[in-house]
Amino acid sequence: MHAIGIDIGGTKIAGAVVTELGEILAEDRVATNAADPIAMLDDVVSMVERLSLQHQVGAVGVAAPGFIDASQSIVYYTPNIRWRNEPLRQKLQERLGDLHITVDNDANAAGWAEFRFGAGRLVSDMTMLTIGTGVGGAIVTEDRLFRGGFGTGGEIGHLRIVPNGLPCGCGARGCIEQYGSGRALQRMANDVADAGGIGVALAEARDANGGHLDGAIVGDLILADDPGALAALRRLGRHLGEACASLSAVLDPQLFVFGGGVASAGDRLLEPIKQAYLNNLPARGYHPEPDFVIAELVNDAGVVGAADLARIHARTA
């Protein structure tokens, strides 16, 4: 059965027809009308209709940011889209007829794609962290995606790692998202630039960009092995490694997978994560150690995972 995966992001909606082997047969994308939920729903319906004209499909999976209920139907809350207790599945079903519809968290969809077709395909227990503007998470245990009792489990970005730390958009303080995300990396890079010394290249790049260090500038300097940018990345990696040590004590994954824009740093990111993990691992030396890898599917993970989850849901419904 071919299925359609739709990945709703803050700036774009991506869609694809995906085979049972995770191969993409057709793709589409439009800008996200985040301020107009009705127009955004229209865009999703139109995208599904366009993709359905090209290939016969039996299910549609929609990956959305935010909290999704256990029945994969209702979007409880999405921070950057005006969805509050939105019956998204019902609204799509009413307009798309016989197609089987499911709704899932976007990080869950990406993690499931990596587990089924990417970096995690050879293990049964995997934890994925998506390091982008924020920090997303997906947990697979004993070959099953972990959702929790209410469907909103796996929100790794909001595990608190710093007591009374920086305030987070979720309302708590000290969350991983404030110390291990792309935004956090920019803040740390600014700190290094302000300190002088190894931060000279960061300071010069900031001045040349009107006093602003964006993710692309920091990323380019990391890939050029600039010592200041690498120092900021090591600080970020230390926080992520500490978080992984805590996660390992609870979940005991065989594999940690890192996706998102910051993961393009590759081994430059993984090395400080692994070192901090070992420094904080309970019973080090007696506890089996997981592998740490970079995600393989990159930008396709959301649509591939959403499609596969919809296909599985359709067969078991």
Side-chain angles (χ1 to χ4, degrees):
M1 179 201 300
H2 296 340
I4 291 175
I6 303 290
D7 187 10
I8 300 175
T11 59
K12 71 178 185 302
I13 300 173
V17 179
V18 184
T19 72
E20 297 202 19
L21 297 177
E23 299 167 338
I24 291 177
L25 300 179
E27 296 180 274
D28 197 357
R29 66 179 52 198
V30 297
T32 302
N33 289 303
D36 188 346
I38 296 175
M40 189 162 55
L41 185 69
D42 292 340
D43 289 339
V44 172
V45 170
S46 297
M47 182 176 287
V48 171
E49 290 173 342
R50 286 193 300 272
L51 291 169
S52 297
L53 289 174
Q54 303 175 52
H55 298 275
Q56 185 175 0
V57 299
V60 177
V62 178
F67 299 128
I68 315 297
D69 78 323
S71 68
Q72 296 170 264
S73 303
I74 298 171
V75 182
Y76 285 137
Y77 174 83
T78 298
N80 299 316
I81 300 170
R82 290 190 298 175
W83 278 338
R84 303 294 184 269
N85 294 315
E86 176 73 10
L88 184 58
R89 178 179 172 186
Q90 177 185 333
K91 289 184 176 181
L92 289 171
Q93 198 76 67
E94 289 170 353
R95 298 181 58 178
L96 292 172
D98 294 335
L99 287 173
H100 185 92
I101 312 292
T102 59
V103 179
D104 222 312
N105 172 267
D106 55 352
N108 276 349
W112 184 254
E114 286 294 337
F115 173 71
R116 288 272 287 133
F117 307 110
R121 61 188 177 274
L122 299 180
V123 301
S124 63
D125 290 70
M126 180 199 89
T127 298
M128 180 169 170
L129 288 82
T130 305
I131 314 301
T133 304
V135 176
I139 298 166
V140 177
T141 179
E142 295 183 346
D143 297 312
R144 299 185 66 180
L145 185 62
F146 173 79
R147 301 180 188 278
F150 298 103
T152 63
E155 287 288 340
I156 291 172
H158 298 293
L159 178 70
R160 298 175 66 193
I161 59 170
V162 178
N164 299 313
L166 293 170
C168 182
C170 72
R173 302 180 72 94
C175 296
I176 291 177
E177 188 159 293
Q178 300 308 309
Y179 298 89
S181 64
R183 281 186 182 151
L185 179 61
Q186 291 176 45
R187 186 186 72 246
M188 293 167 185
N190 273 296
D191 290 344
V192 175
D194 291 341
I198 61 171
V200 61
L202 285 167
E204 291 174 350
R206 183 173 62 185
D207 291 343
N209 195 46
H212 177 65
L213 270 177
D214 60 28
I217 292 172
V218 177
D220 287 344
L221 287 171
I222 287 171
L223 295 179
D225 290 325
D226 171 70
L230 289 176
L233 185 68
R234 285 194 296 272
R235 182 177 166 192
L236 184 95
R238 175 172 59 82
H239 286 297
L240 289 170
E242 291 171 355
C244 287
S246 295
L247 288 166
S248 195
V250 178
L251 301 172
D252 193 27
Q254 298 156 298
L255 182 71
F256 281 100
V257 179
F258 296 87
V262 178
S264 62
D267 287 340
R268 297 175 179 86
L269 174 65
L270 293 182
E271 285 306 317
I273 289 175
K274 287 188 284 189
Q275 188 57 56
Y277 173 87
L278 291 173
N279 290 342
N280 291 274
L281 179 65
R284 180 179 177 182
Y286 301 94
H287 189 293
E289 296 172 11
D291 291 323
F292 294 77
V293 300
I294 299 298
E296 295 180 4
L297 300 183
V298 196
N299 295 328
D300 293 334
V303 294
V304 171
D308 197 59
L309 287 167
R311 184 184 297 111
I312 293 169
H313 195 276
R315 284 176 172 159
T316 57

